Amino acid sequence: MQRLNWRDFDFWLLAGVILLIIFGVVMIRSAIAGNIDLLELNIVRRQIIFALLGLLMVFAATLIDYHVWEATYTVLYFGVFLLLGVLFAVGQAVYGSARWFDVGFILIQPSEIAKIVLIMALARFFARNQHRIHRPEWIARSFLLTLGIAIWILLQPDLSTSIVLFVIWFVMLWSSGLPVRYLVGTAVGGVFLLLVTVPLVFGAIVNPDSLSEDGLIKPYQMWRVHNFIFTDEEARYGEGFNVEQALITIGSGSLFGAGYGQNPQVQSRFLKVRQTDFIYAVIAGEFGFVGTTLVTLLLLFVIWRCLLIARRASDTYGALMVIGVATLLTFHAMVNVGMNLKLLPVTGLPLPFISYGGSSLLSTMLGIGLVESVAIRQKQLNFEA
Amino acid sequence: MNFPERNPNLENTIDPWRIRVFVIIVALVFSVYTLRLYSLQILQGEDYAARAAGNRTQEINIQAPRGIISDRNGAVLARNVASYNVVITASELPDDEADIQRIYRELSTVIGVPVNLNELSPENPYVPCRSEHGIAQIALYGATASPYTPVRVKCDVDELTARVVMERSVDWPGVNIEIEPIREYPTGNLTANIVGYMGPVPAELLDYDLYQQQRLVANRDKVGYAGVELSLQDILGGTNGLRVVERDVAGQVLRDLQPPIAPQPGNNVRLTIDVRLQQLARTALEAEMNYLNRVSPTGIRTTSGVVIAINPKTGEILAMVSYPSYDNNRMARFIPAYYLEQLQSDGREPLLNHAIQAERPPGSVFKLSTAVGALNEGVVTPDQVIKTPGVIELVQKYYANDPGKPQKFVDWIYNDGAHPEGFVQLTIRGCIQNSSNVCFYKLGGGYFDEIPNGGLNICRLKTYAEALGYGFPTGIELPGEENGLLPTPTWKRITQGENWATGDTYIATVGQGYVLVTPLQVLMSATTIANDGVMMQPTIVREIVDGEGNVITPFTPRIKWDITQDNLIKVYAPQAGVSSSCQETGEARNVDPEVLQIVQEGMRLAVTDGTLKDTFQGFPIAAAGKTGTAEYCDNVAQEKRLCKPGNWPSHGWTVAYAPYDDPEIAVVAFLYNAGEGAKTAAPVVRGVIEGYFYLKTIDAGGETP
């Protein structure tokens, strides 16, 4: 057991994360004003408790040598595999579909744990097989490793989380040395496939209800794409309305925003799902272009710190794990902000650290813990050798 | 030690450039996002701010109570009554679904609307009061559309049900009774033609200045469609209040953005009508019409009629009956299409106020204008004896040098066969007394040397008729008043494409031919004569009273003109030929009071020993009057093939006033297709005049005979 060098603990990263969480709590408080149900749930206090738990988790994960996860990878991977399988089976039997385990005080979302475990598993796999990752069969193996977990989530059905898993897989694959020619080939092949399926896809987008309820892509998911492309500005409810209201909220923010707790779009509840999916719009509406840009920069700062740690990591395994966590944060942020700005269809992905949600906050904090664990064990300037 | 491959467990073998690609992609994506944010917030910021403002500002229009209409004694003719609607406010329903279901079940047993019925769909949407849906479906509509606005579950429940619901609303949070003001007309069809009815504000008339000023809302507020409700909309309607408020997404009002404007209730109107006299007049008219129809050998004879009573000194209309009428109470909540259609397709035109909206030939009541004109113009002197045989032959000329065609003109008395000599000879008083056609033909159109220079002629007849109130609306406060028609040679050339003929003048002098009038005009002409030439402005509005009973506009009689003072009579150049246009000289003159005195005496003689003698037999108060039997041939008569030459169908007219020396009441009666006025309309007039004095005695606290 090597002695930990706390000088290498990335305090900047932790400071950025804590700032974002505090800011998130403050924004949630503004977002839920006027909604009695949410006030009664006391979600601000819950988010603070989760943040404190998450902070403990960061330190705990920092203290544990991340190589432990490499050694216990089999247990973790199959544990999650089983958990998701049981959730799927029970969910199908009891509710028709389920994403959560209700353990009393909190709804545990196994898919959140799955993201972290997948990062651990892929990091181990790519680190061990980096020298042969240019070979298609090994790429396929890594894909199957991802699919083993993603399939359950896809079946839940939770398309956006499964996409997150595949994006993590792809970025880690890329980082460990995916040959560029494959990428070009895939791109060409993808375009070709797209052209072939365009009539099919287009038909499904125009009339989402033509899809089967039992299919892999459900009508409601295609409706989101449909609503994204064909917006009904007159709609008084539904996702089209929500996105339209988010745009109005953002737009009404102007340069400096209406001020904290002052945006009528938010306070009079024209903006829906304010504390989670559309918290970005709340920020934009109340703090304007300047405030929103600052928050975005802070988020990018956190991602940048992670990537720095990835470069300084003492081994490939650690570096890949950090890249995985960075991908998780980045992709969530990109999709969430893109949805708020109506550049991407509606998905339920949260804005990391800021959106309300216990499971997702804990899992991202665990991710930060892993990053710090790698940071604190980074390459030393070795005077002994 | 050298490894053949780098040991990944000991070294970081991630290519830094691959991380750089990652960074570049992230930077690109967020640059695009920042540009988008800039575009939304800075470039389009104002648009979105306006849309945000539009989201949350709402105008709330508060309905102003409508004024009440009553008669001169305070008897209510139109008032507002409460109509009860059962409503549900979704936001006030309890949280517990079981509780909600219990409320629905219990409410269902009270109001009889099923809990679940007909799911809402685009084909079968919720329409308040009309669509048939279950309580749960309507409440769901309310919860999704506007949780803070009550939605109607059942409309117009009876008062008992409303009370039960109100009482139980403690146990039924979210369920309430909404009180909607509905117009009620206690006197119904007795006064429907005067009071009118109401309907929704037509969307195309929302821009109308008055409606704008009153802040009326389409699909909610109602406006007058007929009668006083229409003509006094500005007084009765009041002004709706307005609040501009900020609201949240559920419709809950947060605060006022502008100082609220309170609604201004409409003012109450007290009409000049005495509803007792109105009832009496209607009964007299209906009884007479029923009698005539009962004794008629050819089935239903008279189908519509009018009675109007006026105070000649003040112009106050005391009664105005137009028969048949309609039930305006049936239009109170909404106008039933089948009922309206039924009324519109009824040939008797019950929706018309026949007193002012129907133009009829006046017949002999029009001779009063001829008499005033002939005397005042010196066509005849007061004591000049005019030969009035049963038949005269007049030459029908179409132009100045037309040799003409002789045509026979008969007096009415000649027709009964017993009087081939006619009236033999009469003075002007006698002409009025007996309503001699021959006499008036001669006065109006001239007769050789007896009445030289073409008599009064059509131009001068027109100016005297106008001075007595014909040819123009009287200006009473009721909508849709007709002009009537006073023909001239020019008018005939333009509209009929034919020259004016001598015969046209002859028949116009006795109120036939092209002459058309409204019953109110006939009444006003007689009133003006009775009033020694003073034409009062006829009015239906006595006073305007505010909600607290303060009189805003007290009653003041208005003199329209005085024909003995005001120079209303146009002086014309002598007509070059019978069909020449009327040439005004620009001069004007008035009427000699003595002329009116003579005409009054003629009308008095008609009662004492003339056309009205039989009807007014034994009448204790001195009355004066004039009858009329107006031949007509309108579309209705043509359809029934009644227009036989020489024997046209005729309307009955009578106008009379009393007491003769100091008139208090003047009454006109008109009975469509009833025949001779002296026998059909005169009894109605006598009945109303009798009734007036009967009521006067009662009001004075005296004993009635």
Side-chain angles (χ1 to χ4, degrees), chain B residues 439-460:
Chain B
C439 168
F440 281 100
Y441 291 147
K442 288 183 172 178
L443 298 183
Y447 190 72
F448 303 106
D449 292 337
E450 192 181 2
I451 308 290
N453 302 326
L456 182 62
N457 81 35
I458 189 65
C459 303
R460 292 194 287 186

Side-chain angles (χ1 to χ4, degrees), chain A residues 197-255:
Chain A
T197 54
V198 147
L200 209 70
V201 171
F202 188 73
I205 290 174
V206 170
N207 184 10
D209 284 330
S210 63
L211 294 169
S212 163
E213 280 290 343
D214 303 321
L216 199 58
I217 295 177
K218 310 288 175 197
Y220 84 90
Q221 291 167 335
M222 199 47 87
W223 269 117
R224 289 177 164 177
V225 179
H226 174 96
N227 288 337
F228 174 68
I229 296 172
F230 309 104
T231 310
D232 176 11
E233 294 203 4
E234 301 301 313
R236 300 303 300 165
Y237 59 89
E239 275 162 359
F241 175 73
N242 293 353
V243 176
E244 215 46 44
Q245 291 304 323
L247 278 189
I248 293 175
T249 312
I250 294 169
S252 70
S254 198
L255 191 58

Side-chain angles (χ1 to χ4, degrees), chain A residues 297-311:
Chain A
L297 285 176
L298 188 56
L299 203 55
L300 291 176
F301 172 77
V302 165
I303 293 166
W304 177 66
R305 291 305 298 188
C306 289
L307 294 176
L308 269 188
I309 292 165
R311 284 186 61 180

Side-chain angles (χ1 to χ4, degrees), chain A residues 130 174 245 268 316 334 341, chain B residues 13 18 33 36 55 248-249:
Chain A
Q130 201 185 16
W174 161 259
Q245 291 304 323
S268 291
T316 310
M334 271 187 193
L341 295 170
Chain B
T13 53
R18 287 185 180 264
Y33 284 1
R36 169 77 170 166
N55 260 345
D248 69 10
V249 69

Side-chain angles (χ1 to χ4, degrees), chain B residues 412-430:
Chain B
W412 63 269
I413 198 165
Y414 177 82
N415 281 337
D416 65 7
H419 301 84
E421 74 288 0
F423 292 108
V424 188
Q425 58 177 32
L426 294 166
T427 64
I428 182 70
R429 292 182 184 84

Side-chain angles (χ1 to χ4, degrees), chain B residues 153 172 186 200 203 226 291 375-376 429 449 487:
Chain B
V153 178
W172 298 342
Y291 166 75
L375 279 167
N376 202 48
R429 292 182 184 84
D449 292 337

